[in-house]
Amino acid sequence: MTTKIISAVMLIIFFTIMIIVGVITRHKARDVEGFVLGGRTAGPWITAFAFGTSYFSAVIFVGYAGQFGWNFGLASTWAGLGNAFIGSLLAWNILGRRTRVMTQHIDARTMPEFFGKRFSSAPMKVIASVIVFIFLIPYTASLYNGLSSLFGLVFNIPYWVVIAIMAVLTGLYVIFGGYMATAINDFIQGIIMIFGIAAVIFSVLHDNGGLVSSMQKLSAVEADGWSGGAFTSFLGPDPLALLFVVLLTSLGTWGLPQMVNKFYAIKSEGDIHKGTVISTIFAIIVAGGCYFLGGFGRLYADKVSYQSDGVTPLFDTIVPSMLGTLPALVIAVVIVLVLSASMSTLSSLVLTSSSTFTLDVIKPAAGEKLTEKKQVLIMRVFILFFIVVSAVIAVIKDAHPEITFIAQMMGVSWGALAGAFLAPFLYGLYWKGTTKAACYVSFFWGCALMIFQMVISLGGLDPMTMGPVLGYLFSSSVRSGVIAMVGSLIIVPVVSLFTKKQDKKEVDGIFSCYDTQVVTDSKHQLADN
């Protein structure tokens, strides 16, 4: 009873703050620029936390941490460090400044709009928008999964009620305040995530006698080919599979529209430097902490639910099983933590989806008669639409858990979006020789590969019938997602060498944004003399 009361009080406070922020920031969302990008005035802390909280959700905390912690033990922490140094540090350094400069120069507010203006192709903008529309929906739906078992620890309420509460409250503050409401709430939710994950790790280790005792117990767990120590070893029992996980969850962010979009809103040069540091530290704590926590999942093997074979665990139940014996206050913190992570990512995804579809599909079709006010209204309607659709899918998935699980859904979405967009976006920022044809091939490659993966996964087909190599690569959406990304990085430059180049004068005009002279202090730049 104490746990229920504490959790209820904390949730009421949390929800109240979220709605208040939405109401306060509504004046920032009166035009398209304000609703989608907050007027490009977001500071380093807001932008960095918006980046981090959009990155990490219940998919990471419940799905990936449970699954990969079970499979790799403490070595799964490498995935969290990869998220920090590849997915955050390198992403900010390689993409941040150039994205902000070029998108403002060509007046692009979404990733599809960037493609359309960078390569002077209206059809490309529409195709990219449709890809975003299709593949962000299963990702959005996956954010609700994992909440059921967590809320089941405390509240005896149907899962659809949990989904409805999260969907309604997220929709309210995003519809009211747009980007700034999302970003400010992301900052608040990010703080909750930092303290929450620290409290959970401490409590789980304490529950097992401390760090040393926990590692001793984990080292005694046997694995195939190991008499012990597999799950406390440096690279775990399967280093190659771990490498695929690190690459998908880290490099994949470079091609995700909801992640790259955060760079569009950066206010100044100084904010890039600060934001890089803040987002990297945030990722080390949250992602590193989640995967480190999941690494101890096998200590709770007797409490985890299993599939019909009695051997394979239901991965979404691992982390909740670890929390069942913790103090009431910690459980309440975890519920708010996971809800924060899910709502922050959900708000980012629905804002990205609605703005992309409105600005890149509906606006061009409607022409000049579509005013700014009408565009914002349409975006708000689509936010409601995306939230409802994703919530319905989540309820269906919960009723039929055998269809797929949380990591599979996320892997397909990440693989398709990153496989389609990562290379065209990266090369488009840096290389004048990137061609329109190469981008189209990359779009097709990423989507086709992951649709094939989805057919295999949902159809219950045995990928090993395709041979040992293809069977291994398509045995998981994580592996095929990496192939989609790495393949696109090779495909785009190769196809660009043999296809029609963009008009030189036009592309030079686009890249002229990088040649603009700026004045800075000597503490940031040495004088030539």
Side-chain angles (χ1 to χ4, degrees):
M1 191 64 176
T2 304
T3 304
K4 185 179 292 186
I5 293 173
I6 294 174
S7 299
V9 171
M10 292 183 68
L11 285 173
I12 291 172
I13 295 172
F14 172 73
F15 290 145
T16 302
I17 293 173
M18 299 300 104
I19 299 302
I20 289 174
V21 169
V23 173
I24 292 175
T25 56
R26 68 187 186 281
H27 69 281
K28 288 273 190 179
R30 291 172 180 167
D31 58 18
V32 173
E33 187 85 355
F35 192 85
V36 177
L37 299 176
R40 299 186 192 261
T41 59
W45 286 91
I46 296 294
T47 303
F49 271 67
F51 185 90
T53 53
S54 297
Y55 198 161
F56 311 118
S57 65
V59 179
I60 299 290
F61 186 80
V62 178
Y64 273 15
Q67 179 186 357
F68 301 136
W70 183 274
N71 290 340
F72 307 119
L74 294 183
S76 63
T77 307
W78 283 112
L81 296 178
N83 294 172
F85 295 108
I86 299 174
S88 297
L89 180 64
L90 279 182
W92 276 76
N93 277 293
I94 294 176
L95 300 178
R97 181 182 295 102
R98 280 187 172 252
T99 298
R100 174 64 171 81
V101 172
M102 184 175 283
T103 56
Q104 185 174 31
H105 178 67
I106 62 177
D107 192 27
R109 290 164 291 192
T110 66
M111 183 177 276
E113 190 172 20
F114 168 84
F115 289 131
K117 292 187 175 181
R118 166 64 179 84
F119 298 100
S120 301
S121 173
M124 182 181 291
K125 178 175 70 172
V126 175
I127 291 172
S129 181
V130 171
I131 292 173
V132 172
F133 178 87
I134 293 173
F135 286 100
L136 275 188
I137 287 180
Y139 183 12
T140 305
S142 73
L143 299 177
Y144 299 97
N145 293 342
L147 293 175
S148 176
S149 51
L150 284 174
F151 272 76
L153 291 174
V154 180
F155 302 105
N156 186 25
I157 55 178
Y159 180 42
W160 70 265
V161 175
V162 178
I163 292 177
I165 292 172
M166 176 176 160
V168 169
L169 291 169
T170 304
L172 281 175
Y173 76 73
V174 179
I175 289 171
F176 268 125
Y179 180 85
M180 284 308 295
T182 300
I184 293 173
N185 277 332
D186 285 350
F187 178 72
I188 297 170
Q189 292 158 353
I191 293 174
I192 294 172
M193 291 166 67
I194 289 174
F195 285 99
I197 193 64
V200 174
I201 291 173
F202 175 82
S203 299
V204 168
L205 294 179
H206 183 268
D207 190 48
N208 286 280
L211 177 61
V212 174
S213 176
S214 299
M215 294 188 68
Q216 287 175 340
K217 293 178 183 179
L218 189 62
S219 66
V221 178
E222 296 183 3
D224 292 340
W226 296 69
S227 59
F231 300 107
T232 53
S233 61
F234 189 68
L235 295 176
D238 192 346
L240 180 59
L242 178 60
L243 176 62
F244 278 103
V245 171
V246 173
L247 288 175
L248 180 73
T249 61
S250 302
L251 189 61
T253 60
W254 295 29
L256 298 181
Q258 74 274 16
M259 300 300 296
V260 174
N261 179 260
K262 301 300 183 291
F263 298 134
Y264 292 30
I266 295 174
K267 184 178 181 180
S268 66
E269 171 66 24
D271 291 349
I272 293 178
H273 295 291
K274 294 175 185 176
T276 302
V277 174
I278 295 167
S279 65
T280 302
I281 294 174
F282 181 87
I284 291 173
I285 296 172
V286 175
C290 284
Y291 288 112
F292 178 74
L293 173 69
F296 292 99
R298 285 183 180 263
L299 299 183
Y300 297 81
D302 58 328
K303 297 181 176 64
V304 173
S305 299
Y306 291 85
Q307 297 181 22
S308 57
D309 60 10
V311 177
T312 307
L314 294 171
F315 294 119
D316 296 350
T317 69
I318 295 175
V319 171
S321 298
M322 299 172 68
L323 306 174
T325 59
L326 300 184
L329 180 61
V330 176
I331 293 177
V333 169
V334 169
I335 289 176
V336 177
L337 155 67
V338 176
L339 201 60
S340 297
S342 297
M343 288 178 68
S344 60
T345 307
L346 176 62
S347 63
S348 177
L349 290 176
V350 297
L351 184 60
T352 299
S353 300
S354 64
S355 60
T356 295
F357 205 71
T358 301
L359 298 178
D360 302 327
V361 177
I362 295 179
K363 182 186 174 184
E368 296 297 326
K369 61 182 179 181
L370 200 62
T371 64
E372 290 255 328
K373 186 176 291 187
K374 288 182 179 179
Q375 291 175 52
V376 173
L377 176 61
I378 292 172
M379 280 188 272
R380 286 178 165 138
V381 171
F382 270 109
I383 285 172
L384 180 62
F385 169 77
F386 284 117
I387 287 179
V388 170
V389 170
S390 62
V392 170
I393 292 174
V395 172
I396 294 173
K397 294 295 183 186
D398 183 65
H400 301 279
E402 72 279 1
I403 294 178
T404 186
F405 52 86
I406 197 168
Q408 189 74 12
M409 293 174 68
M410 184 177 179
V412 169
S413 295
W414 274 43
L417 291 168
F421 297 148
L422 190 158
F425 188 77
L426 178 63
Y427 288 118
L429 289 176
Y430 278 88
W431 184 32
K432 294 181 180 180
T434 310
T435 65
K436 187 190 308 181
C439 295
Y440 278 126
V441 173
S442 181
F443 288 1
F444 176 79
W445 162 262
C447 295
L449 205 65
M450 298 315 295
I451 289 173
F452 182 59
Q453 174 68 67
M454 190 178 293
V455 170
I456 293 175
S457 300
L458 301 185
L461 304 177
D462 183 7
M464 296 310 294
T465 57
M466 299 184 293
V469 176
L470 289 178
Y472 178 80
L473 295 178
F474 283 95
S475 62
S476 164
S477 60
V478 172
R479 295 167 189 166
S480 56
V482 171
I483 298 303
M485 289 189 298
V486 174
S488 70
L489 289 171
I490 299 171
I491 287 171
V492 169
V494 171
V495 174
S496 293
L497 292 176
F498 300 100
T499 51
K500 183 181 178 181
K501 301 295 184 291
Q502 194 171 353
D503 180 75
K504 186 178 185 303
K505 184 177 180 180
E506 183 178 53
V507 77
D508 284 345
I510 293 173
F511 274 77
S512 66
C513 61
Y514 298 139
D515 300 326
T516 302
Q517 296 294 312
V518 296
V519 179
T520 186
D521 299 326
S522 58
K523 63 183 177 183
H524 295 129
Q525 178 72 48
L526 291 175
D528 291 338
N529 58 353

